[in-house]
Amino acid sequence: MKRILLISTLLIGWGIHVAYAQSAEQEIKQTIEDMIQAGLDKDVDKTLSYWDQSPSFTFIADGHQYDFMAFKDMYTDFLNKVESQEVTENKLTVKEIGKYKALCIWTGTEKVKMKEQEPFESKWISTLLMENKKGGWVILHGHTSHF
């Protein structure tokens, strides 16, 4: 009887864990979708709200490392120079790391037209470390390569 109770408890616990992981994955995917839309809308403040603004934040892209303020400046400059942008492919894989953190592998393709330049296609792969803070997911660290 004790063995059946133990197995039942473990199975229920596993079911709760799986349900939480699926819920977290859906929340993270929605967060990324919302962040993409804010960027397409050129809403700098909204876009940056999805990134952790603590002193430990770091972002690495194409050989450069940024703290939050440098990231904000770089991203603001980009949005001021972009004429049009369209995300044509977007894929996110989420790996749970504990209860409130996740590792995300994000790949995609976008068409970009900068002011006074020819349009181009950009592909990216990003590794994002995310944390659920105060009910919302934010990016603690990101590493992106464009190709």
Side-chain angles (χ1 to χ4, degrees), residues 112-130:
V112 179
K113 169 76 172 86
M114 303 300 283
K115 294 176 182 172
E116 301 180 23
Q117 292 183 9
E118 292 297 316
F120 61 93
E121 183 175 88
S122 176
K123 294 181 182 239
W124 75 85
I125 185 167
S126 296
T127 304
L128 306 174
L129 177 60
M130 299 184 72

Side-chain angles (χ1 to χ4, degrees), residues 49-81:
S49 73
Y50 297 102
W51 299 80
D52 183 45
Q53 299 179 26
S54 73
S56 63
F57 171 84
T58 184
F59 181 73
I60 300 167
D62 305 321
H64 301 281
Q65 183 173 338
Y66 304 90
D67 63 11
F68 183 78
M69 290 309 294
F71 174 75
K72 178 180 179 181
D73 291 344
M74 180 266 301
Y75 190 73
T76 301
D77 184 57
F78 170 78
L79 286 184
N80 287 332
K81 291 179 180 176

Side-chain angles (χ1 to χ4, degrees), residues 29-41:
K29 286 182 176 182
Q30 186 61 56
T31 297
I32 297 298
E33 289 293 328
D34 292 347
M35 182 179 70
I36 289 170
Q37 189 58 54
L40 294 174
D41 293 342

